[in-house]
Amino acid sequence: YGTIITESDAGRALLEEMLSSRSKMERSVQQLVNIALYYRFDGWLVNVENEIDVERVPNLLEFVSMLTEAMHRALDHAKVLWYDAVTVN
C-alpha cells in the first residue's frame, strides 16, 4: 500500500489545495491511481494528521470515495483505508 499523509501546516495547505475543487480532486485521484499502478500498490492508506476547515470535510469524504472507486476500477482487489483522525469540536 502507498500512504497519503498530511501533517503540520504544510500538510494542511497541501490538503486544502487538493480539496479546493472537484477538478483538483479528480486530477489528484488520477495521479494516485497512476502511481499505484506503476509501483504495484494494492491501494492507499489516507492519513490526515492536521486540522482541516469544517467546510472541507465533505470534500475530503468525496475524495476518499472517488479514490476508492477509481482504485477499484483499476484493480479489482484494491483497498483504500482512511485513518480518521479528523474530529469536530
Side-chain angles (χ1 to χ4, degrees), residues 2-13:
T3 301
I4 304 162
I5 187 166
T6 61
E7 301 174 297
S8 70
D9 291 338
R12 180 179 180 167

Side-chain angles (χ1 to χ4, degrees), residues 6-9 11-13 15-16 19 48-54 56-57 60 85-87 89:
T6 61
E7 301 174 297
S8 70
D9 291 338
R12 180 179 180 167
L15 185 64
E16 293 284 332
L19 300 177
V48 177
E49 293 283 341
N50 53 267
E51 292 183 11
I52 180 173
D53 289 335
V54 69
R56 294 279 190 242
V57 172
L60 177 58
V86 177
T87 60
N89 292 332

Side-chain angles (χ1 to χ4, degrees), residues 25-41:
M25 291 191 302
E26 289 171 349
R27 195 166 46 239
S28 297
V29 164
Q30 187 55 58
Q31 289 302 316
L32 290 167
V33 170
N34 292 343
I35 291 167
L37 292 174
Y38 183 83
Y39 288 104
R40 299 182 182 188
F41 295 162

